[in-house]
Amino acid sequence: METSVKDVFDSVIIRFGGELWIKKTWTRRLYERRLVRNIKNVLKHYEVAYSEIVRRHGRLFLRTNSAVEAARRLARIFGISSVSPSLETSSKLEDIIDRSMLLAGHLLKERNSFAVKCRRVGDQSYSSADVCRVVGQRILDDFGEKLGLEVDLDRPDVRLGVEVRNDAAFVYSDVIDGAGGMPLGTQPRVVGLLSGGIDSAVACWLVMKRGCPVVPVYFDNVPFTDETTTERALNVAEVLFDWAVGFPRRVYVVQHGENLKKIIENCSRKFTCLLCKRMMYRIAERLTDMIGAEGIVTGEAIGEQASQTITNLRVLSNAVQKYPIHRPLLGFDKAETETIARKIGTYKISSRKARGCTAVPSKPATMAKLEEVMEAEEKLNIKEMIESAIKSLKAVKM
Ligand code: ATP
Ligand code: MG
Protein backbone atom coordinates (compact mmCIF):
# COMPACT_ATOMS: atom_id res chain seq x y z
CA MET A 1 0.00 0.00 0.00
CA GLU A 2 1.34 3.42 -0.90
CA THR A 3 1.83 5.81 2.00
CA SER A 4 0.27 9.24 1.65
CA VAL A 5 2.28 12.34 2.42
CA LYS A 6 0.27 12.65 5.63
CA ASP A 7 1.89 9.47 6.95
CA VAL A 8 5.51 10.48 6.42
CA PHE A 9 5.38 13.29 8.97
CA ASP A 10 6.41 12.55 12.53
CA SER A 11 6.47 16.04 14.04
CA VAL A 12 5.14 19.60 13.88
CA ILE A 13 7.22 22.76 13.93
CA ILE A 14 5.49 25.37 16.11
CA ARG A 15 6.59 28.98 15.58
CA PHE A 16 5.57 31.83 17.81
CA GLY A 17 5.15 35.46 17.07
CA GLY A 18 7.92 38.01 17.01
CA GLU A 19 6.29 39.91 19.86
CA LEU A 20 7.23 37.19 22.32
CA TRP A 21 10.86 37.82 21.52
CA ILE A 22 10.91 41.39 22.70
CA LYS A 23 9.72 40.33 26.15
CA LYS A 24 12.13 39.97 29.04
CA THR A 25 13.33 36.42 29.65
CA TRP A 26 11.08 35.70 32.61
CA THR A 27 7.98 37.06 30.88
CA ARG A 28 8.82 35.02 27.83
CA ARG A 29 9.21 31.88 29.94
CA LEU A 30 5.86 32.53 31.56
CA TYR A 31 4.25 33.02 28.16
CA GLU A 32 5.90 29.93 26.75
CA ARG A 33 4.81 27.84 29.70
CA ARG A 34 1.25 29.03 29.24
CA LEU A 35 1.44 28.30 25.53
CA VAL A 36 2.63 24.75 26.17
CA ARG A 37 -0.23 24.26 28.63
CA ASN A 38 -2.75 25.52 26.07
CA ILE A 39 -1.23 23.25 23.42
CA LYS A 40 -1.54 20.21 25.70
CA ASN A 41 -5.17 21.08 26.45
CA VAL A 42 -6.04 21.32 22.75
CA LEU A 43 -4.33 18.04 21.87
CA LYS A 44 -6.07 16.30 24.74
CA HIS A 45 -9.45 17.82 23.87
CA TYR A 46 -9.24 16.67 20.25
CA GLU A 47 -7.62 13.35 21.20
CA VAL A 48 -4.53 13.91 19.10
CA ALA A 49 -1.85 11.48 20.29
CA TYR A 50 1.71 12.77 20.72
CA SER A 51 4.78 11.70 22.59
CA GLU A 52 6.56 14.92 23.43
CA ILE A 53 6.77 18.69 23.10
CA VAL A 54 10.38 19.81 22.79
CA ARG A 55 11.66 23.36 23.11
CA ARG A 56 14.60 24.26 20.93
CA HIS A 57 15.87 27.76 20.30
CA GLY A 58 12.74 29.79 19.98
CA ARG A 59 10.57 27.04 18.56
CA LEU A 60 8.49 24.22 19.91
CA PHE A 61 8.51 20.83 18.23
CA LEU A 62 5.75 18.33 18.71
CA ARG A 63 6.48 14.65 18.17
CA THR A 64 3.38 12.97 16.80
CA ASN A 65 2.27 10.55 14.14
CA SER A 66 -0.84 12.66 13.53
CA ALA A 67 1.13 15.71 12.46
CA VAL A 68 -1.35 17.02 9.88
CA GLU A 69 -4.30 16.82 12.27
CA ALA A 70 -2.19 18.27 15.10
CA ALA A 71 -1.02 21.17 12.92
CA ARG A 72 -4.61 22.01 11.97
CA ARG A 73 -5.61 22.14 15.65
CA LEU A 74 -2.52 24.04 16.78
CA ALA A 75 -3.07 26.72 14.15
CA ARG A 76 -6.05 27.89 16.21
CA ILE A 77 -4.12 28.50 19.40
CA PHE A 78 -3.36 32.12 20.27
CA GLY A 79 0.34 32.86 20.47
CA ILE A 80 1.26 30.54 17.60
CA SER A 81 2.24 32.37 14.43
CA SER A 82 2.59 29.34 12.16
CA VAL A 83 2.95 25.56 12.13
CA SER A 84 4.38 23.00 9.72
CA PRO A 85 3.99 19.23 9.67
CA SER A 86 7.57 17.98 9.47
CA LEU A 87 10.00 15.06 9.42
CA GLU A 88 12.51 14.99 12.23
CA THR A 89 16.06 13.77 11.78
CA SER A 90 19.58 14.44 12.97
CA SER A 91 21.53 17.44 11.73
CA LYS A 92 23.88 15.23 9.71
CA LEU A 93 23.78 16.39 6.12
CA GLU A 94 23.13 12.88 4.76
CA ASP A 95 20.12 12.49 7.11
CA ILE A 96 18.73 15.85 6.01
CA ILE A 97 19.14 14.81 2.37
CA ASP A 98 17.47 11.47 3.04
CA ARG A 99 14.39 13.00 4.70
CA SER A 100 14.19 15.78 2.12
CA MET A 101 14.18 13.23 -0.69
CA LEU A 102 11.40 11.27 1.02
CA LEU A 103 9.22 14.38 1.35
CA ALA A 104 10.11 15.65 -2.13
CA GLY A 105 9.19 12.25 -3.59
CA HIS A 106 5.71 12.59 -2.12
CA LEU A 107 5.12 16.19 -3.12
CA LEU A 108 6.68 16.77 -6.52
CA LYS A 109 4.52 16.26 -9.59
CA GLU A 110 5.33 16.52 -13.29
CA ARG A 111 6.53 19.95 -14.51
CA ASN A 112 6.63 21.39 -10.99
CA SER A 113 8.98 24.14 -10.00
CA PHE A 114 10.54 23.93 -6.55
CA ALA A 115 12.76 25.73 -4.06
CA VAL A 116 14.71 24.67 -0.99
CA LYS A 117 15.00 26.98 2.00
CA CYS A 118 17.08 26.44 5.10
CA ARG A 119 17.37 28.05 8.54
CA ARG A 120 20.11 26.95 10.83
CA VAL A 121 21.00 27.35 14.51
CA GLY A 122 24.17 25.76 15.94
CA ASP A 123 27.69 24.79 14.95
CA GLN A 124 27.49 22.61 11.89
CA SER A 125 30.20 21.99 9.33
CA TYR A 126 27.92 23.28 6.57
CA SER A 127 26.06 26.54 5.90
CA SER A 128 22.36 27.04 5.16
CA ALA A 129 23.29 27.75 1.56
CA ASP A 130 25.11 24.39 1.42
CA VAL A 131 21.94 22.61 2.50
CA CYS A 132 19.85 24.34 -0.17
CA ARG A 133 22.42 23.62 -2.86
CA VAL A 134 23.03 19.96 -1.97
CA VAL A 135 19.35 19.08 -1.42
CA GLY A 136 18.31 21.00 -4.54
CA GLN A 137 20.90 19.18 -6.63
CA ARG A 138 19.85 15.77 -5.31
CA ILE A 139 16.23 16.49 -6.18
CA LEU A 140 17.25 17.45 -9.71
CA ASP A 141 19.49 14.37 -10.02
CA ASP A 142 16.84 11.94 -8.81
CA PHE A 143 13.58 13.39 -10.17
CA GLY A 144 14.57 16.28 -12.43
CA GLU A 145 14.56 14.56 -15.76
CA LYS A 146 11.74 12.13 -15.07
CA LEU A 147 9.35 14.87 -13.90
CA GLY A 148 10.69 17.83 -15.88
CA LEU A 149 11.36 19.90 -12.75
CA GLU A 150 12.84 23.34 -12.55
CA VAL A 151 14.07 25.54 -9.75
CA ASP A 152 12.07 28.71 -9.03
CA LEU A 153 13.13 30.51 -5.87
CA ASP A 154 10.41 33.17 -6.02
CA ARG A 155 7.18 31.38 -6.79
CA PRO A 156 7.78 27.63 -6.63
CA ASP A 157 4.98 25.06 -6.83
CA VAL A 158 6.65 23.11 -4.05
CA ARG A 159 8.64 24.67 -1.24
CA LEU A 160 10.90 22.46 0.78
CA GLY A 161 12.10 23.84 4.09
CA VAL A 162 14.85 22.62 6.38
CA GLU A 163 15.23 23.83 9.96
CA VAL A 164 18.45 22.83 11.64
CA ARG A 165 18.51 23.17 15.42
CA ASN A 166 21.87 22.05 16.87
CA ASP A 167 21.92 18.27 16.57
CA ALA A 168 18.37 17.95 15.19
CA ALA A 169 16.84 18.91 11.88
CA PHE A 170 13.29 19.17 10.57
CA VAL A 171 12.17 18.98 6.97
CA TYR A 172 8.80 20.44 5.99
CA SER A 173 6.84 21.98 3.16
CA ASP A 174 3.57 23.63 4.21
CA VAL A 175 3.57 26.67 6.47
CA ILE A 176 0.10 27.08 7.95
CA ASP A 177 -0.78 30.47 9.42
CA GLY A 178 -1.51 30.38 13.13
CA ALA A 179 -3.93 32.53 15.12
CA GLY A 180 -1.19 34.95 16.15
CA GLY A 181 -1.46 37.12 19.24
CA MET A 182 -0.50 36.10 22.77
CA PRO A 183 -1.20 32.86 24.64
CA LEU A 184 -4.66 32.89 26.21
CA GLY A 185 -4.39 33.37 29.96
CA THR A 186 -1.34 35.62 29.89
CA GLN A 187 -3.67 38.54 30.68
CA PRO A 188 -6.45 38.73 33.26
CA ARG A 189 -10.05 37.90 32.47
CA VAL A 190 -12.52 40.38 31.05
CA VAL A 191 -16.30 40.35 30.84
CA GLY A 192 -17.53 40.37 27.24
CA LEU A 193 -20.96 41.79 26.39
CA LEU A 194 -22.04 39.19 23.87
CA SER A 195 -25.25 39.91 21.98
CA GLY A 196 -24.99 37.15 19.39
CA GLY A 197 -24.60 39.77 16.64
CA ILE A 198 -21.57 40.02 14.39
CA ASP A 199 -19.69 42.76 16.23
CA SER A 200 -19.52 41.62 19.83
CA ALA A 201 -18.25 38.15 18.89
CA VAL A 202 -15.37 39.69 16.94
CA ALA A 203 -14.63 42.13 19.76
CA CYS A 204 -14.42 39.27 22.27
CA TRP A 205 -12.20 37.25 19.94
CA LEU A 206 -9.82 40.16 19.47
CA VAL A 207 -9.14 40.52 23.17
CA MET A 208 -8.84 36.74 23.51
CA LYS A 209 -6.23 36.91 20.80
CA ARG A 210 -4.19 39.25 23.00
CA GLY A 211 -4.33 36.85 25.93
CA CYS A 212 -7.49 37.76 27.90
CA PRO A 213 -9.93 34.94 28.67
CA VAL A 214 -13.43 36.32 28.05
CA VAL A 215 -16.40 35.62 30.28
CA PRO A 216 -19.43 36.30 28.07
CA VAL A 217 -22.57 37.87 29.46
CA TYR A 218 -25.79 37.94 27.48
CA PHE A 219 -28.72 40.20 28.33
CA ASP A 220 -32.00 38.48 27.63
CA ASN A 221 -34.48 41.15 26.59
CA VAL A 222 -37.61 38.98 26.36
CA PRO A 223 -40.40 40.06 25.68
CA PHE A 224 -38.67 42.56 23.36
CA THR A 225 -36.68 39.74 21.81
CA ASP A 226 -37.36 36.00 21.96
CA GLU A 227 -35.63 32.66 22.42
CA THR A 228 -34.13 32.77 18.89
CA THR A 229 -32.02 35.73 20.02
CA THR A 230 -30.85 33.91 23.16
CA GLU A 231 -30.06 30.73 21.28
CA ARG A 232 -28.03 32.64 18.72
CA ALA A 233 -25.92 34.25 21.46
CA LEU A 234 -25.26 30.89 23.11
CA ASN A 235 -24.29 29.35 19.77
CA VAL A 236 -21.86 32.20 19.09
CA ALA A 237 -20.36 31.68 22.56
CA GLU A 238 -19.76 28.02 21.71
CA VAL A 239 -17.67 29.02 18.70
CA LEU A 240 -15.69 31.46 20.83
CA PHE A 241 -15.06 28.76 23.43
CA ASP A 242 -13.55 26.56 20.74
CA TRP A 243 -10.77 29.17 20.60
CA ALA A 244 -10.28 28.80 24.35
CA VAL A 245 -9.93 25.06 24.94
CA GLY A 246 -9.10 24.37 28.57
CA PHE A 247 -10.81 27.53 29.83
CA PRO A 248 -14.30 27.57 31.44
CA ARG A 249 -17.18 27.29 28.97
CA ARG A 250 -19.74 29.38 30.79
CA VAL A 251 -22.07 32.16 29.61
CA TYR A 252 -23.81 34.42 32.10
CA VAL A 253 -27.39 35.22 31.17
CA VAL A 254 -29.14 38.23 32.73
CA GLN A 255 -32.91 38.80 32.58
CA HIS A 256 -33.01 42.36 31.32
CA GLY A 257 -36.54 42.58 29.84
CA GLU A 258 -38.10 43.93 33.03
CA ASN A 259 -35.49 46.69 33.21
CA LEU A 260 -36.15 47.60 29.62
CA LYS A 261 -39.88 47.73 30.31
CA LYS A 262 -39.30 50.19 33.16
CA ILE A 263 -37.08 52.34 30.95
CA ILE A 264 -39.76 52.53 28.24
CA GLU A 265 -42.51 53.29 30.75
CA ASN A 266 -40.66 56.02 32.64
CA CYS A 267 -38.21 57.74 30.32
CA SER A 268 -38.16 59.60 27.03
CA ARG A 269 -38.21 57.10 24.15
CA LYS A 270 -35.32 58.81 22.38
CA PHE A 271 -33.05 57.62 25.19
CA THR A 272 -34.29 54.00 25.36
CA CYS A 273 -31.18 52.37 23.86
CA LEU A 274 -28.75 54.54 25.81
CA LEU A 275 -30.52 53.86 29.10
CA CYS A 276 -30.79 50.16 28.34
CA LYS A 277 -27.10 49.97 27.58
CA ARG A 278 -26.10 52.03 30.61
CA MET A 279 -27.95 49.49 32.73
CA MET A 280 -26.17 46.66 30.90
CA TYR A 281 -22.83 48.29 31.67
CA ARG A 282 -23.69 48.67 35.35
CA ILE A 283 -24.77 45.07 35.67
CA ALA A 284 -21.66 43.96 33.79
CA GLU A 285 -19.60 46.02 36.22
CA ARG A 286 -21.09 44.10 39.13
CA LEU A 287 -20.37 40.82 37.39
CA THR A 288 -16.80 41.94 36.68
CA ASP A 289 -16.38 42.53 40.39
CA MET A 290 -17.99 39.22 41.31
CA ILE A 291 -15.73 37.09 39.14
CA GLY A 292 -12.53 39.11 39.60
CA ALA A 293 -12.24 40.29 36.00
CA GLU A 294 -10.45 43.49 34.97
CA GLY A 295 -12.58 45.17 32.35
CA ILE A 296 -15.61 45.06 30.08
CA VAL A 297 -15.53 44.47 26.32
CA THR A 298 -18.20 45.54 23.84
CA GLY A 299 -18.59 45.39 20.08
CA GLU A 300 -19.24 49.09 19.61
CA ALA A 301 -17.68 50.98 16.68
CA ILE A 302 -17.87 54.71 16.09
CA GLY A 303 -21.13 55.60 14.37
CA GLU A 304 -22.21 52.01 13.73
CA GLN A 305 -25.55 52.57 15.45
CA ALA A 306 -27.30 55.70 16.73
CA SER A 307 -26.17 54.75 20.22
CA GLN A 308 -22.57 54.55 19.07
CA THR A 309 -21.81 58.10 17.95
CA ILE A 310 -18.72 59.35 19.74
CA THR A 311 -21.01 61.59 21.82
CA ASN A 312 -23.24 58.70 22.85
CA LEU A 313 -20.30 56.43 23.60
CA ARG A 314 -19.25 59.02 26.16
CA VAL A 315 -22.74 58.94 27.66
CA LEU A 316 -22.49 55.15 27.85
CA SER A 317 -19.00 55.04 29.35
CA ASN A 318 -20.04 57.47 32.04
CA ALA A 319 -22.35 54.85 33.58
CA VAL A 320 -19.45 52.87 35.03
CA GLN A 321 -16.41 54.06 36.92
CA LYS A 322 -14.72 51.07 38.44
CA TYR A 323 -13.73 49.26 35.24
CA PRO A 324 -12.88 50.48 31.76
CA ILE A 325 -15.09 49.73 28.77
CA HIS A 326 -12.87 48.27 26.05
CA ARG A 327 -14.02 48.67 22.47
CA PRO A 328 -11.64 46.79 20.20
CA LEU A 329 -13.75 47.60 17.10
CA LEU A 330 -13.84 51.36 17.65
CA GLY A 331 -12.14 52.16 14.33
CA PHE A 332 -13.34 49.17 12.30
CA ASP A 333 -15.54 49.38 9.21
CA LYS A 334 -18.35 46.84 9.14
CA ALA A 335 -16.69 45.00 6.25
CA GLU A 336 -13.49 44.61 8.26
CA THR A 337 -15.42 43.19 11.20
CA GLU A 338 -17.26 40.79 8.90
CA THR A 339 -13.99 39.54 7.41
CA ILE A 340 -12.78 38.57 10.88
CA ALA A 341 -16.16 37.06 11.78
CA ARG A 342 -15.89 34.79 8.73
CA LYS A 343 -12.36 33.81 9.61
CA ILE A 344 -13.14 32.90 13.21
CA GLY A 345 -16.35 31.04 12.37
CA THR A 346 -18.99 33.26 14.00
CA TYR A 347 -20.32 34.99 10.87
CA LYS A 348 -22.85 32.36 9.82
CA ILE A 349 -24.42 32.05 13.25
CA SER A 350 -24.37 35.80 13.92
CA SER A 351 -26.10 36.47 10.60
CA ARG A 352 -28.81 33.95 11.35
CA LYS A 353 -32.27 35.44 11.55
CA ALA A 354 -33.21 36.23 15.12
CA ARG A 355 -35.83 38.54 16.49
CA GLY A 356 -34.40 42.05 16.70
CA CYS A 357 -35.16 44.17 19.76
CA THR A 358 -38.65 45.66 19.38
CA ALA A 359 -37.91 48.33 21.98
CA VAL A 360 -35.67 50.29 19.60
CA PRO A 361 -37.34 53.71 19.04
CA SER A 362 -37.84 55.20 15.58
CA LYS A 363 -36.04 58.41 16.50
CA PRO A 364 -33.18 57.69 18.90
CA ALA A 365 -31.00 60.54 20.15
CA THR A 366 -27.72 60.58 18.25
CA MET A 367 -26.12 63.41 20.22
CA ALA A 368 -27.51 62.87 23.69
CA LYS A 369 -26.59 65.29 26.44
CA LEU A 370 -25.22 63.48 29.46
CA GLU A 371 -27.13 65.75 31.86
CA GLU A 372 -30.44 65.02 30.10
CA VAL A 373 -29.81 61.28 30.15
CA MET A 374 -28.95 61.41 33.85
CA GLU A 375 -32.06 63.45 34.50
CA ALA A 376 -34.16 60.84 32.68
CA GLU A 377 -32.56 58.15 34.81
CA GLU A 378 -33.76 59.82 38.00
CA LYS A 379 -37.16 58.27 37.29
CA LEU A 380 -35.64 54.81 37.64
CA ASN A 381 -34.70 52.89 40.76
CA ILE A 382 -31.31 51.97 39.42
CA LYS A 383 -30.08 50.20 42.52
CA GLU A 384 -33.08 47.94 42.63
CA MET A 385 -32.87 47.25 38.89
CA ILE A 386 -29.24 46.16 39.25
CA GLU A 387 -30.04 43.98 42.26
CA SER A 388 -32.90 42.14 40.61
CA ALA A 389 -30.86 41.65 37.43
CA ILE A 390 -27.98 40.21 39.46
CA LYS A 391 -30.43 37.92 41.24
CA SER A 392 -31.64 36.66 37.86
CA LEU A 393 -28.08 35.86 36.79
CA LYS A 394 -27.73 32.34 35.42
CA ALA A 395 -24.47 30.65 34.49
CA VAL A 396 -25.11 28.46 31.45
CA LYS A 397 -22.46 25.77 31.06
CA MET A 398 -21.80 24.52 27.57
P1 ATP B 1 -23.58 43.42 17.79
O1 ATP B 1 -23.39 43.17 16.35
O2 ATP B 1 -22.45 42.96 18.64
O3 ATP B 1 -24.91 42.90 18.26
P2 ATP B 1 -24.59 46.05 17.28
O4 ATP B 1 -23.80 46.74 16.27
O5 ATP B 1 -25.84 45.41 16.86
O6 ATP B 1 -23.63 45.00 18.01
P3 ATP B 1 -25.79 47.34 19.63
O7 ATP B 1 -27.00 46.48 19.59
O8 ATP B 1 -25.94 48.80 19.78
O9 ATP B 1 -24.85 47.17 18.40
O10 ATP B 1 -24.86 46.84 20.80
C1 ATP B 1 -23.61 47.39 21.05
C2 ATP B 1 -22.83 46.46 21.94
O11 ATP B 1 -23.52 46.27 23.19
C3 ATP B 1 -22.71 45.05 21.36
O12 ATP B 1 -21.62 44.93 20.49
C4 ATP B 1 -22.55 44.22 22.60
O13 ATP B 1 -21.21 44.25 23.06
C5 ATP B 1 -23.45 44.94 23.59
N1 ATP B 1 -24.81 44.35 23.58
C6 ATP B 1 -25.89 44.78 22.92
N2 ATP B 1 -26.95 44.00 23.16
C7 ATP B 1 -26.55 43.05 24.03
C8 ATP B 1 -27.16 41.92 24.67
N3 ATP B 1 -28.44 41.64 24.48
N4 ATP B 1 -26.41 41.16 25.48
C9 ATP B 1 -25.10 41.44 25.68
N5 ATP B 1 -24.48 42.47 25.11
C10 ATP B 1 -25.16 43.27 24.28
MG1 MG C 1 -26.22 43.51 16.34
Side-chain angles (χ1 to χ4, degrees), residues 75-146:
R76 289 170 72 96
I77 296 177
F78 298 116
I80 292 178
S81 56
S82 70
V83 290
S84 298
S86 56
L87 284 85
E88 182 176 0
T89 184
S90 85
S91 60
K92 286 200 196 106
L93 200 49
E94 53 267 38
D95 285 342
I96 293 175
I97 295 170
D98 178 73
R99 298 285 90 183
S100 301
M101 295 310 289
L102 176 63
L103 186 55
H106 275 282
L107 296 176
L108 288 165
K109 305 271 174 326
E110 244 172 79
R111 317 218 72 78
N112 272 174
S113 58
F114 76 98
V116 183
K117 242 183 54 184
C118 176
R119 292 177 74 119
R120 198 176 59 85
V121 174
D123 278 330
Q124 291 86 16
S125 58
Y126 51 79
S127 68
S128 301
D130 291 338
V131 174
C132 298
R133 194 170 36 76
V134 175
V135 172
Q137 192 56 53
R138 269 296 292 276
I139 291 175
L140 285 174
D141 290 349
D142 284 22
F143 307 114
E145 216 162 291
K146 193 171 85 195

Side-chain angles (χ1 to χ4, degrees), residues 21-267:
W21 288 106
I22 53 175
K23 303 274 179 229
K24 289 226 165 58
T25 317
W26 66 268
T27 313
R28 206 169 65 217
R29 269 204 206 115
L30 213 73
Y31 277 38
E32 269 185 39
R33 222 174 291 150
R34 170 55 83 167
L35 182 59
V36 170
R37 211 159 104 195
N38 293 350
I39 289 172
K40 286 181 177 168
N41 281 336
V42 163
L43 295 173
K44 187 171 162 207
H45 180 80
Y46 292 108
E47 297 178 355
V48 182
Y50 67 98
S51 59
E52 219 180 338
I53 301 171
V54 188
R55 203 182 151 275
R56 282 178 200 271
H57 282 269
R59 298 251 197 275
L60 291 170
F61 298 92
L62 177 78
R63 293 204 171 108
T64 172
N65 290 325
S66 314
V68 172
E69 156 90 348
R72 186 166 68 89
R73 300 298 186 189
L74 297 178
R76 289 170 72 96
I77 296 177
F78 298 116
I80 292 178
S81 56
S82 70
V83 290
S84 298
S86 56
L87 284 85
E88 182 176 0
T89 184
S90 85
S91 60
K92 286 200 196 106
L93 200 49
E94 53 267 38
D95 285 342
I96 293 175
I97 295 170
D98 178 73
R99 298 285 90 183
S100 301
M101 295 310 289
L102 176 63
L103 186 55
H106 275 282
L107 296 176
L108 288 165
K109 305 271 174 326
E110 244 172 79
R111 317 218 72 78
N112 272 174
S113 58
F114 76 98
V116 183
K117 242 183 54 184
C118 176
R119 292 177 74 119
R120 198 176 59 85
V121 174
D123 278 330
Q124 291 86 16
S125 58
Y126 51 79
S127 68
S128 301
D130 291 338
V131 174
C132 298
R133 194 170 36 76
V134 175
V135 172
Q137 192 56 53
R138 269 296 292 276
I139 291 175
L140 285 174
D141 290 349
D142 284 22
F143 307 114
E145 216 162 291
K146 193 171 85 195
L147 295 177
L149 303 178
E150 61 173 76
V151 174
D152 180 347
L153 298 182
D154 297 321
R155 299 188 56 202
D157 298 316
V158 175
R159 240 178 260 267
L160 214 70
V162 180
E163 289 222 356
V164 185
R165 288 281 184 279
N166 295 329
D167 53 351
F170 297 81
V171 179
Y172 65 94
S173 179
D174 280 348
V175 178
I176 304 159
D177 281 341
M182 301 287 187
L184 195 64
T186 51
Q187 294 284 331
R189 276 184 289 186
V190 291
V191 165
L193 265 60
L194 190 72
S195 66
I198 293 169
D199 307 322
S200 47
V202 172
C204 288
W205 184 86
L206 284 171
V207 296
M208 288 164 71
K209 175 169 171 259
R210 297 300 294 179
C212 298
V214 169
V215 180
V217 54
Y218 169 73
F219 291 84
D220 184 341
N221 285 330
V222 166
F224 302 97
T225 56
D226 63 19
E227 65 281 3
T228 58
T229 327
T230 311
E231 202 178 296
R232 193 180 63 171
L234 295 179
N235 290 160
V236 168
E238 267 180 316
V239 177
L240 285 179
F241 289 143
D242 287 344
W243 288 91
V245 173
F247 290 80
R249 298 173 68 95
R250 193 181 299 134
V251 181
Y252 286 94
V253 178
V254 176
Q255 296 308 319
H256 197 49
E258 276 305 311
N259 287 343
L260 189 45
K261 219 186 259 173
K262 285 181 187 136
I263 290 167
I264 293 173
E265 281 165 10
N266 293 292
C267 313

